[in-house]
Amino acid sequence: MAKFMKSAFQNPLSFYGILLIEVLAYSSYGVFINLSRVNGIIMYKSSSLVLLLEIIKFTISFMILWSEKNKLNYKQIKFRSVISFSLPALCYGINNNLAVYMQDYMDPSTFQVLCNLKIVSTAVLYRLIMNRKLKFVQWLSLTLMTLAGMLNSYIGMKDKPQSLNDVYLTPVGLSLTLVYCFLSGLAGVYTEYILKKEPMTLLSLQNCYLYIFGILFNFTFWYSQTAEDESLLQGFTLYTWLILLTQTEKI
């Protein structure tokens, strides 16, 4: 994987190809969730979608780890190191479920715009936790991004949309967005903090730690919400599978 990424960055066409895929995958999330509705309702459990994503990501990470097993130092596998990934996994688990739930309170375009505010929360938390100073230009950029998000929220603020094609944001949606952005920033920064504390540990191994906890948390979420006769894939549509396909690349 490392060799692949290195060669991709050395080849401009590969780099821009990967960048295009990332942009399309990121921007399609809210759209596919709304397209996966049946009669305007999301029929599947958000936890079932996220659980499958975590299982797929763990499988891919484990395959990468297996290919790097000769580099693996088993002495690096310590309980304290493993358990430290439980917090970011919990934050990601809540956030990924929240991202589905939020679609009932805003349109996909508003979701994409406001979710960019997680860059602001990440930067602020990075400054507080990692003690990294930001330049004036960076603070200015974050301020402009925040103002853009506030303006978008103010223009689109409605208690209820007139139609499915309406651009809107409810007060509940705005509140959920703030929680989403904070948890996203916290999970990202804390994960980075863990990775930098143990730079010699294989990234694929650390990803496995993270996804194992993600599987445990999301299975708990799903099991607690599900009736006895309900399957994991109940309510899935073609667009739900497209979500799985496009979001798997975020490893």
Side-chain angles (χ1 to χ4, degrees):
M1 178 62 74
K3 291 181 179 179
F4 171 76
M5 293 302 297
K6 184 177 180 180
S7 62
F9 279 104
Q10 290 176 344
N11 187 332
L13 291 178
S14 298
F15 171 76
Y16 288 114
I18 293 173
L19 181 62
L20 178 61
I21 292 173
E22 290 281 346
V23 171
L24 291 175
Y26 179 77
S27 59
S28 66
Y29 184 73
V31 175
F32 282 154
I33 287 180
N34 280 274
L35 289 174
S36 68
R37 296 175 184 270
V38 177
N39 297 324
I41 301 173
I42 298 176
M43 302 299 293
Y44 53 89
K45 297 286 192 301
S46 62
S47 51
S48 63
L49 173 64
V50 180
L51 175 58
L52 285 176
L53 276 171
E54 294 295 295
I55 292 173
I56 294 171
K57 290 178 180 180
F58 170 76
T59 303
I60 296 173
S61 295
F62 184 79
M63 291 171 62
I64 296 172
L65 176 62
W66 185 259
S67 68
E68 299 175 329
K69 60 183 179 180
N70 293 332
K71 302 177 184 178
L72 182 61
N73 183 359
Y74 291 95
K75 293 181 180 179
Q76 294 176 340
I77 303 177
K78 301 176 182 178
F79 177 78
R80 185 175 180 180
S81 300
V82 176
I83 202 68
S84 62
F85 283 89
S86 60
L87 177 59
L90 178 61
C91 291
Y92 281 128
I94 295 173
N95 243 29
N96 291 334
N97 282 276
L98 198 59
V100 178
Y101 186 64
M102 288 164 61
Q103 306 303 317
D104 288 333
Y105 300 97
M106 65 188 74
D107 66 281
S109 60
T110 299
F111 171 77
Q112 292 299 147
V113 171
L114 292 184
C115 281
N116 286 327
L117 292 177
K118 64 186 179 183
I119 300 174
V120 178
S121 64
T122 301
V124 173
L125 289 170
Y126 206 80
R127 174 69 180 90
L128 295 175
I129 296 175
M130 305 291 287
N131 198 29
R132 178 179 176 180
K133 295 182 179 180
L134 299 178
K135 298 179 181 178
F136 172 77
V137 175
Q138 293 173 315
W139 281 115
L140 179 61
S141 300
L142 294 174
T143 302
L144 292 175
M145 185 177 295
T146 303
L147 291 175
M150 292 172 61
L151 181 61
N152 180 82
S153 302
Y154 177 77
I155 294 174
M157 187 67 71
K158 297 177 183 178
D159 290 330
K160 192 175 182 180
Q162 301 297 321
S163 69
L164 291 176
N165 297 323
D166 201 7
V167 176
Y168 72 99
L169 171 68
T170 67
V172 174
L174 179 59
S175 300
L176 293 176
T177 300
L178 296 177
V179 175
Y180 175 88
C181 291
F182 172 76
L183 288 177
S184 177
L186 178 62
V189 173
Y190 190 72
T191 302
E192 183 74 12
Y193 174 75
I194 298 171
L195 295 177
K196 289 192 174 182
K197 278 185 65 177
E198 300 184 23
M200 301 305 294
T201 304
L202 292 175
L203 180 60
S204 54
L205 178 61
Q206 293 175 320
N207 281 338
C208 285
Y209 295 159
L210 183 65
Y211 297 137
I212 286 172
F213 282 111
I215 291 171
L216 292 174
F217 288 136
N218 283 286
F219 177 79
T220 303
F221 296 157
W222 173 76
Y223 188 79
S224 63
Q225 298 173 329
T226 307
E228 290 184 4
D229 58 344
E230 190 173 343
S231 69
L232 182 64
L233 304 180
Q234 186 163 325
F236 274 41
T237 67
L238 171 63
Y239 292 106
T240 315
W241 291 107
L242 285 175
I243 295 170
L244 285 171
L245 178 64
T246 55
Q247 299 306 305
T248 300
E249 51 79 37
K250 295 181 180 179
I251 298 181

